[in-house]
Amino acid sequence: MKRELGIARCGLACCLCSENEHCTGCHAETCPDKEWCENRKCSMEKGISHCFLCTEDCHKGILAKMKPYGLTVFIKRYGIEKLLDCLEINEKKGIIYHRQGISGDYDDFQELEQLIDFIRTGQRS
């Protein structure tokens, strides 16, 4: 885990992403997705660094998917450091965040509370 890479504006874990060797991140002006990323544009228009700082319960852009939405809700509840701690512990347990071309262990949740519990405990309920 590259903890220093942190979390993207939308809640995705840059610190665990397999693309982080080549990606400049959504906070950089050289972000390759800056023209189409609705969450980047929205957070910049609102003057906030991350979607989790917004007071709206938003499902636009990538937040329509459960993983980034769940990560954002987790941060709103417990804070970004707690999320990073949980992701790091889970990685050490062998939980996969993301695999090239294959869904990771956080991707197959349909229910928000089940995903949040999995992030916290590293165990499926």
Side-chain angles (χ1 to χ4, degrees):
M1 179 166 155
K2 295 182 178 179
R3 194 177 181 109
E4 68 277 9
L5 295 178
I7 304 298
R9 288 177 179 272
C10 63
L12 289 176
C14 298
C15 57
L16 289 172
C17 181
S18 64
E19 298 294 315
N20 66 24
E21 295 291 325
H22 311 286
C23 180
T24 57
C26 55
H27 293 282
E29 192 54 41
T30 56
C31 172
D33 301 327
K34 70 179 183 180
E35 298 303 320
W36 64 264
C37 181
E38 190 173 356
N39 302 100
R40 182 181 192 276
K41 287 179 184 179
C42 181
S43 63
M44 290 180 77
E45 287 170 5
K46 291 181 177 184
I48 56 177
S49 61
H50 293 83
C51 295
F52 62 78
L53 295 172
C54 185
T55 57
E56 295 177 37
D57 183 28
C58 177
H59 292 275
K60 70 172 100 170
I62 197 160
L63 293 177
K65 295 182 177 185
M66 182 56 71
K67 180 170 69 175
Y69 178 72
L71 293 169
T72 297
V73 171
F74 188 96
I75 295 169
K76 284 182 177 188
R77 289 184 189 173
Y78 304 107
I80 195 166
E81 289 303 316
K82 178 69 173 174
L83 175 65
L84 292 170
D85 291 345
C86 289
L87 293 174
E88 191 167 19
I89 290 166
N90 289 345
E91 182 187 40
K92 289 176 182 173
K93 290 180 183 177
I95 295 171
I96 305 296
Y97 176 75
H98 175 78
R99 291 173 260 211
Q100 190 75 16
I102 302 172
S103 293
D105 295 318
Y106 298 94
D107 290 309
D108 59 354
F109 288 88
Q110 302 299 316
E111 299 293 324
L112 175 63
E113 295 307 320
Q114 288 177 344
L115 173 57
I116 288 177
D117 191 52
F118 181 70
I119 295 167
R120 274 189 330 94
T121 66
Q123 298 176 0
R124 294 189 183 273
S125 48

